[in-house]
Amino acid sequence: MSLPSDCFARPTHRLWLVLLACTSFGGGPWIGESRGASEFNLAEARRAVVFVRRVSPGREVALGSGFLVSEDGVIYTSRHVIEPNDSTARGTTVLVGVPSKRDPDDLDWFPASVVYRAPADDNLDFAILKIAANDGYGPFHALPLSYAKLELGASVAVIGFPYIRDNEAVLSFNKGSISSTRVRFSGKAYYQTDAAVNKGNSGGPLLNIKGEAVGIITLKEVNAENVGFALYLDEVRVAAAGATERLAEIRPSPGPVDPRRLELPVAIAPLTANWQITRGRAHEVPKYLEVDNHGGPYWVTSRASLPENFQLVISCAVKHLQGSQDISAEQRKSLRRLYVRFGTSAADSSIDRGGGYLLLSSHSGTSLYRGAKLVKGVSQGNVEEKPFTLSITRQGREIAVAIDGKVIFSFQDDQPISVRHPFSIGGQFSQLYLGDVTVIDLSKHGSPEENEAPAPAEAAALE
């Protein structure tokens, strides 16, 4: 099954990931095993290994692997595969590609619900997903699990989706052995293996000679060849058992689905045609829409209204620009001004007026106004000429503001203003480089995942 051309953009986030190199399937016993050793059915086992694609606002895409552990669609994977860089982000969608019953080299796509992911203060790089099938699709293939500890030199294999070729995910199967029976990172036990792992194998299974999953591929040694690590399956037993109650409550949308028809948050690209240039001048430069007014007030206005509950994600950079404007001593306290106005129909009024809500971010701080009244402010502002992400989340009475994924303040409005109007973005004493802007309707997308997973410091996490 071919996928849209944008499906496989490589992630840009901070995690370093581990995946598998492709080898032939081969026949006969594995190296190190006698002719009498039992072998598993690889043709069956591969049907339980899935491709995981996570799409987050701002076009952030991450790719990894996972494996089915039950016939009703429970999947184990790594936490860093399914969580966005920004822990405050809404609108993240996780899709799972399951080998088709017709041809396992084709994938059937299923929307996945996150059942569990380890909390932020836990170094367990583990998550559980759930998918569901339409009537008539039949049960999913599941891998058997083994918690028995393997011996040094035991034959193992890594299987997952480390490669993209011609817009399609490619399964890879690599044989190897256990080169260390227990290595600890951040208090968790891992197998070390010389089976080749590569970008994209994160979350996939480490298999024993019987075809049982004994670990979850997670890490790769930096600056070393064929030194990979798989989290002991025994390390996740308690977490998996604790997620049972939550699992019973999850009702994911059934599949297969056409991923091109899913309603995902769509970014407003930095093109002049996508905005009303209300005041000032704007022209397109690589990756940005450059907007200013020779130092005076300027703003662009969206062509569609905001939903009542939303998250607005703005990728941008702000440069000081005085132009011909005189700057008073009071105004010098707030240079590089970036304005975001919402909750008013007065799009033609100057960006610093017009009622509704107004967010002002400058070199010295960030403030929220309701009408002309200052209701919240902090000393954290924007960074000169450095790209950053500003997000505004409105849900019910609460408005929260975050810069680069960190919430800097929130405000509870006892008499919230309706925001079902176009919004404006602009500034003064500044030049704005406006990148992608994403509007996420929170009535259609669930609450944010509240945890952020740290990557173990001693090795590089895989993806």
Side-chain angles (χ1 to χ4, degrees), residues 58-80:
R59 298 182 178 178
E60 180 194 348
V61 179
L63 312 174
S65 302
F67 55 101
L68 286 150
V69 299
S70 74
E71 292 184 346
D72 62 347
V74 179
I75 294 167
Y76 286 1
T77 188
S78 294
R79 175 177 59 183
H80 72 262

Side-chain angles (χ1 to χ4, degrees), residues 317-335:
V318 184
K319 178 181 178 181
H320 174 59
L321 182 65
Q322 179 175 338
S324 60
Q325 303 295 312
D326 293 328
I327 303 178
S328 68
E330 185 65 26
Q331 289 172 327
R332 288 186 182 279
K333 298 177 182 178
S334 182
L335 303 177

Side-chain angles (χ1 to χ4, degrees), residues 10 28 40 43 98 105 134 142 180 246 249 258 271 286 301 309 328 360 366 369 375 395:
R10 285 299 180 186
F40 71 94
V98 177
D105 284 327
N134 291 314
S180 182
R246 164 81 171 151
E249 300 171 353
D258 183 344
L271 303 173
T301 302
N309 294 292
S328 68
L360 165 61
T366 304
Y369 294 82
V375 295
Q395 190 153 37

Side-chain angles (χ1 to χ4, degrees), residues 139-157:
F140 295 105
H141 289 267
L143 277 180
L145 309 180
S146 174
Y147 302 97
K149 186 177 178 181
L150 296 181
E151 297 296 327
L152 188 67
S155 292
V156 290

Side-chain angles (χ1 to χ4, degrees), residues 94-342:
V94 179
L95 289 173
V96 171
V98 177
S100 169
K101 296 179 184 298
R102 303 176 303 278
D103 182 346
D105 284 327
D106 294 330
L107 298 178
D108 294 333
W109 288 94
F110 295 80
S113 295
V114 179
V115 176
Y116 169 85
R117 70 173 182 177
D121 58 356
D122 192 333
N123 291 316
L124 186 67
D125 194 355
F126 174 61
I128 301 174
L129 306 177
K130 179 73 167 64
I131 59 175
N134 291 314
D135 292 342
Y137 187 84
F140 295 105
H141 289 267
L143 277 180
L145 309 180
S146 174
Y147 302 97
K149 186 177 178 181
L150 296 181
E151 297 296 327
L152 188 67
S155 292
V156 290
V158 176
I159 185 169
F161 291 89
Y163 298 116
I164 305 300
R165 292 287 185 270
D166 298 327
N167 243 5
E168 294 185 349
V170 177
L171 186 77
S172 178
F173 174 80
N174 284 353
K175 302 175 187 178
S177 62
I178 296 297
S179 51
S180 182
T181 54
R182 185 171 65 191
V183 178
R184 290 196 177 276
F185 295 120
S186 302
K188 305 301 180 185
Y190 293 77
Y191 288 113
Q192 179 179 305
T193 178
D194 58 8
V197 296
N198 298 281
K199 221 172 190 181
N201 279 125
S202 281
L206 179 71
L207 302 176
N208 64 15
I209 192 67
K210 297 179 181 178
E212 299 167 327
V214 296
I216 302 172
I217 299 298
T218 312
L219 305 169
K220 180 178 182 179
E221 186 71 39
V222 180
N223 299 324
E225 292 295 327
N226 294 342
V227 181
F229 301 93
L231 180 69
Y232 272 30
L233 206 58
D234 194 54
E235 290 280 6
V236 310
R237 291 179 79 171
V238 173
T244 302
E245 183 175 344
R246 164 81 171 151
L247 187 62
E249 300 171 353
I250 292 293
R251 297 290 185 272
S253 299
V257 298
D258 183 344
R260 294 166 296 186
R261 296 184 179 181
L262 291 177
E263 189 173 350
L264 303 176
V266 177
I268 303 172
L271 303 173
T272 54
N274 291 339
W275 296 93
Q276 300 176 51
I277 315 301
T278 318
R279 181 176 297 181
R281 56 184 183 176
H283 68 278
E284 298 168 16
V285 297
K287 298 183 180 180
Y288 292 100
L289 188 64
E290 186 182 83
V291 195
D292 67 71
N293 191 21
H294 303 287
Y298 62 89
W299 65 98
V300 299
T301 302
S302 66
R303 297 189 178 279
S305 297
L306 287 170
E308 199 62 45
N309 294 292
F310 66 87
Q311 183 173 73
L312 183 61
V313 183
I314 304 168
S315 300
C316 62
V318 184
K319 178 181 178 181
H320 174 59
L321 182 65
Q322 179 175 338
S324 60
Q325 303 295 312
D326 293 328
I327 303 178
S328 68
E330 185 65 26
Q331 289 172 327
R332 288 186 182 279
K333 298 177 182 178
S334 182
L335 303 177
R336 282 203 317 271
R337 294 184 183 182
L338 168 65
Y339 291 114
V340 182
R341 181 176 61 192
F342 58 99

